[in-house]
Amino acid sequence: MKRYLRQWLAFAKHLLAAHKGRPVALLVLLGLSVLNLSSEWPNDIARPAFLGTLDAAVPDTFKSARQLLFDQYQRRFPRIPSSEPVTIVAIDEDTLARMGQWPWPRNRLANLIDAIAAQHPLAIGLGIYMPEPDQTSPDKVAGNLPKTAAALAAGLRALPSHEALLARSLRAAPTILGAVGFENAAFTTSTGLRTVPISVHGPNPLQWVQRFSHVLASLPELQAAAHGQAMLSAPVEGGVIRRLPMVFGLGDKLVPSLPLEMLRLATGSSAIDVFADGAGVQGVGVADVTVPTQADGDIWLHFASIQATRNRYVSARDILAGKVDPERIRDKLVLVGLTGAGLADMRTTALGELVPGIEIQAQAMETVFEGRFLRRPVWLKWAESSFILVFGLLIIWYVPRTGSRRLAVFMRAVPKASAVLGIVLNLLLLSLSFLVFVRLGLLVDATSIFIVLSAVMSCFFSTNLLHADEKARPAATPTSAQGQGADAERAPAMAQAGPL
C-alpha cells in the first residue's frame, strides 16, 4: 500500500512539475470555469447533457459561495428607506389578547377591513388565505343546534353569513387576497385563481418562471368580491429568502405576485405586462412602471434592516379602536398580516434577520416604489467568465516564465509569493465588487473569480515548493559522500596501527 502511495505521489509531483506546471493549471482553469458557468447557465444557450451529471456529482460550491457573498454585500450596505409607501396592519399579540384567538370570525375581519378602508388607502393586501367556510357563521351555528331550537335556527339562517359580510367589505374597498402555491394537491387546494389578464410581449415565459400545479386560496365567493388575487410564495435557498418572483405559473396560466398586483390596483391599471425574449423574462410592467427582473421573473431584494422599518407597523387593535393617525393609512399600500407568536410565518432575510413573512412583501413593494433594484444581468455572468479565462491564461503564461526579470523572478525566489500575490489581487477585486454594488446595484460574483484564480495560482505555488525541495536534496548528498570518503580513508590507518 505504501509503495502504491509513493508511486502516486511521484506521479503527482512529475505532473505538477511538467512544463513548469502550466498543463495542470490550464486543466484547473478550464474545469472550474465550466463548473462555475454551469451553476448559472444562460437560458438562451442549450445546456449540454453532461452538465446535469456533473452537477449531481459535484457539490454546488460556486452557488453557495455566491449567495454568501451577496448576503455580505447587503449586510455591509443595507438599503436605507427613503420613503414609507407601505403600512403593515399587524394582527399581533396585543390584538389577539383583546379581540380573541386566531382564526377570527369573518365578520370581525370584515370590520378590520372597513376600518382600514375608511382612511382611504391606495390598496389593501391581505396576507391571509381563507379556503374553508367560517364555522362560526350563523348558518353553520344553526346547523349544529338541536331540533328543539328550531325557531332559533331559523332566525340564525335569516342572518347574512360571515362570508357574505366579508365579501361586502372586500368589494367596497380596494382589496387583494393572497394565495400560496403548492406542487401537489392537498385537502384545501385548487387548480385555479381569479386574476387579471397578463399581457405577454415576446415568448411565453411559463418555461422560465416558478410554476405550481395547485394553489391554496380563499373561497370562490371571496375571490369574486376582491379586486385582485396574488401569490405570496417566496423561494427559500438555504433557509434564506433573497429573491421574490414577480410572476408565477399556475398550471398553464401566468399569475402576479402581491407587490405587482398591489401596484396595478393602486394605479388603476387593468392589466400587467410581461416582457420576455429568448434569454427569459426581462421585466414586468404596470402603467408607466417597469420592473427589471432576472431571467426567471425574480427580483433580488435589497433589504432594509427591520430596525429601519418598524415604523411601518400598526396594531390591528389600534385600527379597530380608531387610535391610529389617518396619515399612517391614507394613500398608502396597506398589508394585513399575522405577526403574533406562533401565527406568523417567520422568514430569514439576507441580513440574517428573522421577520414576519408579510415583511418580505413590504420590502419588495418598497424596492419597486423606490426603483432601487439589485441586478444580475446575463451579460454580467459572461463578463465574469471572460475575466476569469483571460486573467487565468495571463497567469499561466506569465508566472512560470524564466526570462522574466520582475514578477516571475520574485515568484521563483519566494515560494509563498504566488499565494500572497493571489490574496492581494483578490482583495482588490472584492473591494471593487463592493464599490460596484454600492454605486450601481450590480451583484458581481467575486467569489467565483477568487476560487478559480486562487486554484490556478496554487498550481504554481505547489510547483515552487517542489522546486525548492529538489534544490535542497542535492545540497545534502555531497556532504554525506564526503563523510563516507573520510571514513574509508581512516579505516586502513586504523588497521595498520593494530589493536591498542
Side-chain angles (χ1 to χ4, degrees), residues 259-279:
L260 199 60
E261 184 69 349
M262 292 280 283
L263 183 61
R264 181 198 67 80
L265 189 58
T267 58
S269 302
S270 59
I272 293 171
D273 296 304
V274 176
F275 305 95
D277 59 19

Side-chain angles (χ1 to χ4, degrees), residues 25 60 70 89 194 207 229 246 309 389 401 407 428 436 439:
D60 196 351
F70 293 168
V89 175
R194 295 172 63 104
Q207 58 186 312
Q229 318 291 322
M246 289 290 98
T309 63
L389 285 174
R401 289 183 62 198
L407 178 63
L428 290 174
V436 171
R439 298 295 184 184

Side-chain angles (χ1 to χ4, degrees), residues 132-143:
E132 297 178 302
D134 184 354
Q135 296 302 312
T136 66
S137 189
D139 56 327
K140 298 297 182 183
V141 174

Side-chain angles (χ1 to χ4, degrees), residues 76 205 289 470:
R76 295 293 180 272
V289 178
E470 290 174 358

